[in-house]
Amino acid sequence: MAERVEASVTDGESTIEERDRELMREFEEGLDQPMDEEADMLKDMHGEKSFSMLMLLRLSFQSLGIVYGDLGTSPLYVFYNTFPDGIDDSEDVIGALSLIIYSLLLIPLIKYVFIVCKANDNGQGKLLKSLIIVFNQTGLVYTQCLCAGGTLAIYSLLCRHGNVNLIPNQQRSDEDLTTYSRTSVAEGSFAAKTKKWLESRHSKKRALLVIVLIGTCMMIGDGILTPAISVLSATGGIRVNNPKMSSDIVVLVSVILLIGLFSMQHYGTDKVGWLFAPIVLIWFLFIGATGIYNICKHDTSVLKAFSPKYIYLYFKRRGRDGWISLGGILLSITGTEALFADISYFPLQAIQLAFTLFVFPCLLLAYCGQAAFLVNHKEHYKDAFYASIPESVYWPMLIVATGAAIVGSQATISGTYSIIKQAVSHGCFPRVKIVHTSKKFLGQIYCPDINWILMIGCITVTASFKNQTEIGNAYGTAVVVVMLVTTLLMVLTMLLVWRRHWIFVLVFAILSLVVELSYFSAVILKVNEGGWVPLMIAAISLLVMFVWNYVTVKKYEFEVHSRVSMSWILGLGPSLGLVRVPGIGLIHSELASGVPRIFSHFITNLPAIHSVVVFVCVKNLPVYTVPEEERFLVKRIGPKTFRMFRCVARYGYKDLHRKDDDFENKLFDNLFSFVQTETMMESDSNYSPYSFNHRQESRDELIRNNNNNHNKNMVMFSSMVDYTESAIVPADSPHSAMSFSQNYTVEEEEEDELEFLKICKETGVVHIMGNTVVKARKGSLVPKKIAINYVYRFLAKMCRANSAILHVPHEALLNVGQICYV
């Protein structure tokens, strides 16, 4: 049968193909203008909007509780880690202060707030202020900026502007999304040469991903170390007035506070932010006011540290010891990497406004005040912060400092949730439970599994080290590696996305690398003094991510190479005697085109299939979000009597499969809209299932009908028939009326298909998913066998199943087992 079908397809093939190409051209010409108008409308919806000053101030205030807590608590421990063995000369304090001032100026302010943060994933480095605006009963307006930060967000930008994604599931229709922003590169330009060089070999793409994953793993380590050092430093203040108190009591108090902090995370970033923002505001006001007090009381000459010459004199005087002390200076800018990771929570203008006008001046005053105190009280190098506080405000400051330390931990915890979600979407991390904690704000999430892992890690580090110095060394190592990775990715972003002149890029790279490599050379000397901790955490995380991504890519390649041919599909009915049972079968696959192997495996073992078959592909795209009206792509597979469809559900790395999303009903709404549209076009334009003809009037009418749909679903007309999957069968072919089952009659074929689909849905829906066991091929190297047969298998058992992610009812689930050798 298959051979006869292929022969019938071959006869007159050129004539049919020419006719279809001509009809497709006519169809697309009719679609161009209306589709462009719809695209313009959507881009206006997701385009730039201006914030009122009142709204900016409000968002800037809230950003204090999420973004700046980590950076703001650095004064608790910077001078102690800079001078762990004591201060010999008061001029050393001036030199260290000068290094702190210019580190804050160059890295957080100039590099991150005004350059790197513009690389949030919205395309071309411009802030996409897509706002979700919700009015509550009191008329209060809530907004959320749709942008994303972190190393994986930059990687998404690069994937859109260059073919560097290791999973080749991109489709041309994906580029039509309103959030899929990218720019073309002129031939012969430096950007084009860079793009060509990056895409030339698979090893370069793999190397780029490894660099991204290293930065991501260090951020996870940062999420463990930040709460440990922040809380331990704050609670250490209780020993200033009680020197005989045991350090074990301080550690115990720190552990209790850490448990409380991680137990609050399920309330969500919105509630935590509003709770913590006042604490951070008071904290910055306190340290700023204390700084002014200390400058005026102890030594106003410390302000000469704003002259960079004292940096030169500092290194000249201290030599190697001065260079090693950069590891302590580095702690003054820790929290900057969390600032970039947390940019998805607030508009860029709010972050810039809060840092420039409030956070930055308060930090400068705090460090200058501590330096003024240390110039005259060098013996207090261990407790400079608490010792410099006026005695009358000691206890209020201790309470606020402890609260601020908890807030500082919140910044990195929120950032860790964000990058884990991005890693899952990129296929670089096992599927974990992700909870959307706010109905008002997109992107505010909570990961229970990751939360408890972070808590255990924090408690372990705190209880093991018991002092700030070793934790500070570990913390500095994690931070500087993240900064180096960000710099490397920003160089590619400036060339490929922003298309800046190579001289400007070179200046940025040199200035950033000079500063960051200096810090790196200092912290690497302290690997044996605590710096090994983030390296160990990163190594474990990198192993997990790399193995998971490697097997994910190989599984996809296996699915692609084992796709079922259309000619085989056409010959299934008579050859196997399949019975079409009532209902709809949703066959889940990672393939966005082609018939998956799981389908042939299923019907070979069970020669029956549902009356309607829908191949469902849930695909993650390298974009921040996919608008709901553009999420689904529906197309028909094979002849119309087969009643087979494909539905591709597209998600960005910030989109979530929420339980209340009702994925199944939305899928069917789009399927019904597709069939209705196809039927109207067929009756109006002499349409056939294998070719198109079209008139502009019908297209306009269809657009109006679709806009009246309660779900506002957009049917992608240009993908109505899958030419890459469907066989082109002549109308006079004996197989044009061939059905999947002998139970079909001509009268049934002429039934209203939409009603038929609705009846099938009411009869029952079954989700058919593949339960794939991955094994290493015989003859594989031992490391590969260990990675696949043991590491990946363990991770696959521990992670959440696809059915749980999509909230598929257990009673409607049917798993089909198969083995994949890689």
Side-chain angles (χ1 to χ4, degrees):
M1 173 63 72
E3 294 178 357
R4 291 198 298 271
V5 173
E6 290 177 357
S8 66
V9 173
T10 305
D11 295 337
E13 180 179 357
S14 60
T15 304
I16 295 172
E17 288 183 354
E18 290 175 1
R19 183 185 67 183
D20 284 325
R21 280 197 296 267
E22 182 180 351
L23 291 172
M24 277 298 296
R25 281 196 299 270
E26 294 177 3
F27 181 77
E28 289 173 354
E29 287 174 1
L31 289 182
D32 280 344
Q33 186 176 355
M35 291 298 287
D36 287 344
E37 291 174 359
E38 288 181 6
D40 291 340
M41 177 187 68
L42 289 168
K43 287 181 179 179
D44 288 341
M45 185 188 305
H46 295 276
E48 292 194 7
K49 295 180 175 66
S50 59
F51 292 96
S52 66
M53 181 54 66
L54 182 61
M55 179 60 67
L56 273 179
L57 291 174
R58 184 163 170 245
L59 293 171
S60 297
F61 166 73
Q62 193 176 359
S63 71
L64 294 175
I66 302 298
V67 179
Y68 294 115
D70 186 9
L71 193 63
T73 53
S74 296
L76 287 169
Y77 44 78
V78 169
F79 278 108
Y80 172 47
N81 284 273
T82 303
F83 302 105
D85 300 322
I87 302 172
D88 298 326
D89 190 346
S90 60
E91 287 297 313
D92 292 343
V93 178
I94 304 298
L97 177 61
S98 187
L99 280 168
I100 293 171
I101 291 171
Y102 284 96
S103 295
L104 286 170
L105 177 68
L106 293 175
I107 302 299
L109 182 62
I110 296 177
K111 179 187 174 182
Y112 273 87
V113 173
F114 286 102
I115 297 179
V116 174
C117 284
K118 290 186 177 180
N120 50 74
D121 184 17
N122 48 47
Q124 305 168 50
K126 296 180 181 178
L127 178 64
L128 175 66
K129 295 185 283 290
S130 299
L131 301 180
I132 298 176
I133 302 178
V134 180
F135 291 87
N136 67 5
Q137 294 179 352
T138 60
L140 190 60
V141 183
Y142 295 94
T143 63
Q144 177 60 34
C145 168
L146 297 184
C147 57
T151 52
L152 281 167
I154 301 179
Y155 180 68
S156 297
L157 275 175
L158 296 176
C159 286
R160 294 208 302 271
H161 289 79
N163 184 22
V164 297
N165 198 345
L166 294 177
I167 301 179
N169 63 349
Q170 298 89 349
Q171 293 178 297
R172 190 170 182 179
S173 57
D174 298 336
E175 300 177 10
D176 298 329
L177 289 171
T178 53
T179 53
Y180 200 99
S181 303
R182 74 171 189 172
T183 55
S184 57
V185 180
E187 291 292 335
S189 63
F190 191 79
K193 294 177 181 178
T194 305
K195 181 174 179 288
K196 183 178 180 181
W197 174 83
L198 195 60
E199 296 174 347
S200 60
R201 299 184 64 180
H202 184 80
S203 59
K204 295 176 183 177
K205 300 178 184 179
R206 175 68 65 182
L208 176 62
L209 179 63
V210 170
I211 291 173
V212 172
L213 292 183
I214 289 174
T216 303
C217 294
M218 285 296 180
M219 266 301 296
I220 295 175
D222 197 8
I224 293 175
L225 296 169
T226 298
I229 190 172
S230 298
V231 175
L232 188 61
S233 301
T235 54
I238 60 179
R239 297 185 63 191
V240 175
N241 283 356
N242 301 278
K244 296 181 180 180
M245 182 181 292
S246 172
S247 60
D248 292 337
I249 296 179
V250 177
V251 172
L252 179 61
V253 173
S254 299
V255 169
I256 293 173
L257 290 174
L258 288 172
I259 293 174
L261 170 65
F262 284 101
S263 300
M264 292 176 58
Q265 295 303 312
H266 68 279
Y267 290 110
T269 307
D270 181 33
K271 295 181 178 66
V272 174
W274 277 112
L275 174 65
F276 287 161
I279 298 175
V280 180
L281 177 67
I282 296 171
W283 167 253
F284 277 114
L285 291 175
F286 267 30
I287 63 174
T290 304
I292 295 174
Y293 168 82
N294 286 325
I295 293 171
C296 297
K297 179 180 178 180
H298 297 291
D299 193 351
T300 58
S301 66
V302 295
L303 298 178
K304 64 185 179 182
F306 282 89
S307 172
K309 77 173 184 178
Y310 289 95
I311 296 176
Y312 167 75
L313 295 175
Y314 177 78
F315 288 125
K316 181 180 179 181
R317 184 169 50 253
R318 297 200 68 193
R320 185 176 185 273
D321 290 339
W323 193 263
I324 294 176
S325 70
L326 284 175
I329 302 294
L330 172 64
L331 298 181
S332 65
I333 56 175
T334 53
T336 306
E337 73 290 344
L339 181 153
F340 184 40
D342 287 329
I343 195 176
S344 61
Y345 295 100
F346 300 99
L348 179 60
Q349 299 102 316
I351 290 177
Q352 290 175 334
L353 184 67
F355 186 82
T356 307
L357 300 183
F358 186 68
V359 175
F360 184 62
C362 289
L363 287 175
L364 291 182
L365 290 172
Y367 286 117
C368 289
Q370 283 190 55
F373 174 82
L374 285 173
V375 166
N376 297 325
H377 303 84
K378 292 188 283 291
E379 68 279 5
H380 286 288
Y381 68 94
K382 285 188 177 181
D383 54 2
F385 178 80
Y386 284 108
S388 64
I389 298 173
E391 190 173 350
S392 58
V393 294
Y394 170 77
W395 286 107
M397 183 65 88
L398 176 62
I399 295 172
V400 175
T402 304
I406 295 174
V407 177
S409 306
Q410 179 63 41
T412 26
I413 293 171
S414 301
T416 304
Y417 295 155
S418 179
I419 62 174
I420 289 294
K421 173 64 177 73
Q422 295 177 40
V424 171
S425 298
H426 281 284
C428 298
F429 199 84
R431 297 178 298 272
V432 294
K433 184 177 182 179
I434 298 173
V435 180
H436 197 280
T437 59
S438 175
K439 294 182 179 180
K440 302 185 290 272
F441 301 117
L442 178 68
Q444 295 194 359
I445 58 176
Y446 165 65
C447 305
D449 304 329
I450 302 301
N451 184 68
W452 303 125
I453 291 174
L454 292 178
M455 187 188 75
I456 294 172
C458 284
I459 293 175
T460 303
V461 169
T462 304
S464 300
F465 288 111
K466 298 183 181 180
N467 67 81
Q468 303 173 25
T469 305
E470 291 186 340
I471 300 179
N473 294 337
Y475 190 21
T477 304
V479 169
V480 74
V481 172
V482 174
M483 290 181 177
L484 284 170
V485 170
T486 302
T487 298
L488 294 177
L489 295 178
M490 282 301 302
V491 169
L492 292 175
T493 301
M494 288 179 172
L495 290 173
L496 299 181
V497 182
W498 296 351
R499 292 176 294 170
R500 295 288 186 262
H501 196 278
W502 66 269
I503 295 179
F504 176 82
V505 178
L506 184 63
V507 171
F508 170 82
I510 290 175
L511 291 177
S512 297
L513 290 176
V514 165
V515 176
E516 290 162 6
L517 286 176
S518 299
Y519 285 130
F520 181 75
S521 65
V523 298
I524 205 67
L525 298 174
K526 299 182 178 182
V527 170
N528 61 337
E529 300 176 13
W532 58 271
V533 174
L535 298 179
M536 183 187 68
I537 295 172
I540 296 173
S541 302
L542 184 61
L543 175 65
V544 170
M545 289 186 171
F546 188 83
V547 169
W548 188 267
N549 179 260
Y550 175 79
V551 178
T552 300
V553 172
K554 292 300 180 183
K555 279 177 59 180
Y556 184 82
E557 292 175 353
F558 172 80
E559 291 284 348
V560 171
H561 291 127
S562 59
R563 285 183 297 187
V564 179
S565 66
M566 195 62 206
S567 59
W568 186 82
I569 294 292
L570 290 173
L572 281 177
S575 62
L576 294 178
L578 291 177
V579 178
R580 301 300 287 268
V581 298
I584 297 179
L586 301 181
I587 301 178
H588 293 260
S589 168
E590 296 180 1
L591 295 178
S593 62
V595 178
R597 180 175 179 268
I598 183 181
F599 178 69
S600 63
H601 189 61
F602 175 78
I603 62 176
T604 301
N605 292 276
L606 182 65
I609 198 68
H610 296 86
S611 301
V612 177
V613 176
V614 182
F615 295 99
V616 180
C617 171
V618 177
K619 183 168 69 171
N620 292 296
L621 300 179
V623 296
Y624 179 87
T625 184
V626 176
E628 191 65 39
E629 63 271 13
E630 298 180 81
R631 187 171 310 285
F632 292 93
L633 280 178
V634 181
K635 53 182 80 169
R636 186 184 294 277
I637 298 178
K640 193 171 184 179
T641 53
F642 279 36
R643 302 199 190 280
M644 295 174 64
F645 303 89
R646 173 175 306 286
C647 180
V648 180
R650 303 175 294 182
Y651 288 84
Y653 55 78
K654 281 291 183 181
D655 293 327
L656 290 175
H657 304 280
R658 292 188 294 182
K659 193 170 184 179
D660 57 353
D661 274 348
D662 207 358
F663 174 84
E664 186 179 295
N665 282 333
K666 289 183 179 179
L667 186 152
F668 285 124
D669 286 342
N670 281 270
L671 178 62
F672 296 158
S673 297
F674 167 83
V675 172
Q676 184 180 21
T677 301
E678 187 186 47
T679 303
M680 293 176 65
M681 293 180 65
E682 181 179 4
S683 62
D684 187 64
S685 307
N686 297 322
Y687 166 86
S688 75
Y690 314 108
S691 61
F692 293 109
N693 200 353
H694 179 73
R695 287 203 301 267
Q696 183 64 49
E697 296 79 13
S698 65
R699 175 63 169 78
D700 293 337
E701 182 181 355
L702 293 174
I703 291 293
R704 287 192 295 271
N705 290 337
N706 280 319
N707 287 338
N708 290 332
N709 187 281
H710 73 280
N711 256 345
K712 303 293 183 186
N713 295 317
M714 177 183 294
V715 179
M716 307 304 288
F717 299 94
S718 58
S719 300
M720 196 165 286
V721 171
D722 195 339
Y723 277 82
T724 62
E725 301 175 24
S726 303
I728 308 300
V729 183
D732 57 348
S733 169
H735 305 289
S736 62
M738 184 177 70
S739 68
F740 234 90
S741 171
Q742 297 175 346
N743 296 333
Y744 277 128
T745 64
V746 175
E747 289 78 17
E748 287 175 333
E749 291 176 5
E750 293 177 353
E751 281 183 350
D752 180 64
E753 188 174 19
L754 186 60
E755 290 299 321
F756 179 76
L757 291 175
K758 292 180 179 179
I759 293 173
C760 288
K761 180 189 174 185
E762 293 174 358
T763 303
V765 178
V766 175
H767 295 258
I768 303 172
M769 292 185 168
N771 186 10
T772 305
V773 176
V774 182
K775 294 183 178 181
R777 293 181 182 275
K778 293 182 178 180
S780 300
L781 298 176
V782 175
K784 182 177 179 180
K785 289 183 178 179
I786 294 175
I788 295 175
N789 295 342
Y790 297 98
V791 177
Y792 178 80
R793 187 173 299 177
F794 172 77
L795 295 174
K797 288 181 179 179
M798 296 300 294
C799 75
R800 291 170 62 83
N802 278 325
S803 57
I805 297 293
L806 296 175
H807 306 288
V808 176
H810 189 70
E811 62 274 11
L813 176 63
L814 178 61
N815 280 319
V816 179
Q818 58 180 349
I819 299 178
C820 170
Y821 291 96
V822 299

